[in-house]
Amino acid sequence: MALRPYLDVQNLTKSFGAQVLFRNISFSIAEGQRVGLIAQNGTGKSTLLSVLTGKEGYDDGSIIYRNDLRVSMLEQSPVFDPEESVLDACFNHQGSEERLLRAKQILTQLKIKDLSQPMGQLSGGQRKRVALANVLITEPDFLILDEPTNHLDLEMIEWLEGWLSRGNKTLLMVTHDRFFLDRVCNLILELDDQTIYTYRGNYSYFLEKRQERIDSKRAEIARANNLYRTELEWMRRMPQARAHKARYREEAFYDLERVAKQRIEERQVRLKSRNVYIGSKIFECQYVSKAFGDELVILKDFYYNFARFEKMGIVGNNGTGKSTFIKLLLGLEPLDGGRFDIGETVRFGYFSQDGLQFRDDQKVIDVVKDIAEYIDMGGGKHLSASQFLQHFLFTPEQQHNYVYKLSGGEKRKLYLCTILIKNPNFLVLDEPTNDLDIQTLQILEEYLQDFPGCVIVVSHDRYFMDKVVDHLLVFKGQGAIQDFPGNYTQYRTWSALKSKEELTASKNTPTVATPTTQRQSGASAPTAKRKMSYKEKREFEQLEKDIAALEEEQKQVEESLCSGQLSIEELTEKSKRLPLLKEELDEKSMRWLELSELA
């Protein structure tokens, strides 16, 4: 049975002055399709969403929605009446009891607890979460979401993944959260070079097929170039022959020339800085305490000795003190007790959530040159400010644009460049991935993997954390901090297994018999414990071997995925293998736990 089309876009064109964002693009979205829109910063993702929802006009083409379709959009920066309450902002004074109950449930999941609080008192992140709740509560036929995971903590992101994946929901979203794209979407649209490409699968499928598309295009351009040289020689040698008989060949020549002169943006070599030295002493967190009143405890006599070359991730729910911990380390917040003993060679580079401050009348290149004309990469190699910007996907033309012309993601990318070009040996990055496009994220991941200094990252981007960090501090609230030696996926696997073990243990805890129970059973003696059968013993022994082998394979797969050395094909294959491994490991571990009770 054919899917019902919800949205049909034909030959859509949009430009700002001389800049064409997209030209003659066509696509459709049917009922039940969950679509992710991927593109570089500044190429028109958010503009396309605004055009589709009628907030911006377009130059040419058609946008057709199914009749009576209820469409709801989550904007990047939603605006509310500062005087109205959270609840009124969700309902505009209209709502049935059923919708009111649903609103309270969704707002609670998104950690919005005071429903009578005026919107003007909420932070930007809280307002975005109220806007998200507003979209979900109304249960529209078609959801359009611009960066839905921004300002959500990991717990909220995983809840939203489940909510959007259940049922037959239809949605179009822009997000740079690759785990989210992989788990929620079943179709990817890529906006590239003013054209739209459709991939009928999730993010892993997109990676595989996009590389095939690029390889095919590269081969086509190479063939065109070979033929172009021959035809160019013919054009030069035979001007008279082109009068009428060879006119078709001349026209074909210009078509060929257009193909031959196309350029595919080549992936640049990895940017490796060797001119970074950091001593053996980094910092020692000596029994540090910090609280805000009696209600909010951030740290309580916390001790940690940070190792040389360590790459640490900090995760936890919003409000547990992750950003505060960084500010304490950098001396931007006063301590209540204890101290940070920081090594003399440490030079911090701090990317903060609110540090993005540029003059709009400055050119991009001048913003970076005001800090440094070049960066010393070590080994006699230097990169100019322009070359450094180009590595982070600022073209020479974009470098001479004024800051006010940049998109939000491009401004954050520029801010990141101003931190890195100072050549610090200890990078402290607070939510560096928000609003960055996927290509920039990949470049930053490689930079941090090769970085010969220390790194602390606070991020809700699970894919990014898996690529970059080898150690976690998990902030659980009220001063409780867990030190975990591994990346985020390893932590989640361990947590899930631990929860199952605790559940199994609680189920197997013997219940103390009440006098009534004893009288009914006619005996107070405990029941004899059943012993393992011969078959179960053999199964138990085999499970131990299987679990050890699976754990070793999982370790190798995770190391390969974090190595940065895999081809697209290998990356896709191992990305598909990892969740299957984990599922099999969980099943065998649970069975091992069951049998171990009989051992």
Side-chain angles (χ1 to χ4, degrees), residues 326-362:
I326 283 176
K327 289 175 181 175
L328 294 169
L329 168 64
L330 298 172
L332 302 174
E333 281 273 356
L335 294 164
D336 294 343
R339 65 188 289 262
F340 283 99
D341 185 14
I342 298 171
E344 291 181 3
T345 62
V346 171
R347 296 193 319 277
F348 288 114
Y350 176 40
F351 181 99
S352 70
Q353 290 192 54
D354 52 4
L356 199 156
Q357 295 174 346
F358 302 121
R359 287 199 347 250
D360 281 350
D361 62 346
Q362 265 191 307

Side-chain angles (χ1 to χ4, degrees), residues 142-195:
F142 185 25
L143 288 156
I144 298 180
L145 308 173
D146 198 353
E147 296 293 358
T149 64
N150 278 7
H151 307 293
L152 303 188
D153 61 35
L154 290 168
E155 195 174 281
M156 298 180 214
I157 290 171
E158 288 174 353
W159 169 81
L160 184 60
E161 271 177 7
W163 197 92
L164 292 175
S165 299
R166 285 192 296 273
N168 196 37
K169 295 182 179 67
T170 307
L171 62 96
L172 169 64
M173 68 175 175
V174 168
T175 180
H176 303 131
D177 187 322
R178 289 159 287 178
F179 264 33
F180 199 80
L181 281 167
D182 222 21
R183 293 176 181 180
V184 174
C185 294
N186 52 29
L187 190 143
I188 302 291
L189 295 177
E190 181 193 16
L191 185 57
D192 182 33
D193 194 25
Q194 304 174 1
T195 304

Side-chain angles (χ1 to χ4, degrees), residues 540-556:
F540 187 69
E541 290 166 2
Q542 187 59 45
L543 280 169
E544 288 183 330
K545 294 175 185 174
D546 291 347
I547 288 169
L550 286 167
E551 285 175 339
E552 180 58 31
E553 186 184 353
Q554 180 183 351
K555 180 183 173 187
Q556 288 173 1

Side-chain angles (χ1 to χ4, degrees), residues 42-53:
T43 56
K45 298 185 300 295
S46 292
T47 300
L48 177 55
L49 297 191
S50 295
V51 167
L52 293 179
T53 51

Side-chain angles (χ1 to χ4, degrees), residues 64-122:
I64 303 168
Y65 286 95
R66 200 195 77 195
N67 287 339
D68 302 322
L69 193 74
R70 292 179 302 121
V71 181
S72 193
M73 179 177 178
L74 172 71
E75 298 181 50
Q76 271 202 54
S77 304
V79 178
F80 292 98
D81 179 347
E83 302 298 323
E84 67 181 352
S85 70
V86 168
L87 205 54
D88 286 342
C90 288
F91 288 115
N92 294 322
H93 309 281
Q94 300 170 12
S96 64
E97 283 297 317
E98 183 187 349
R99 282 186 65 191
L100 184 62
L101 179 61
R102 187 162 66 244
K104 288 178 178 177
Q105 289 171 339
I106 290 174
L107 286 164
T108 300
Q109 291 286 356
L110 296 173
K111 313 276 175 74
I112 303 291
K113 295 174 182 173
D114 185 355
L115 306 190
S116 62
Q117 188 175 7
M119 291 298 297
Q121 294 179 10
L122 270 56

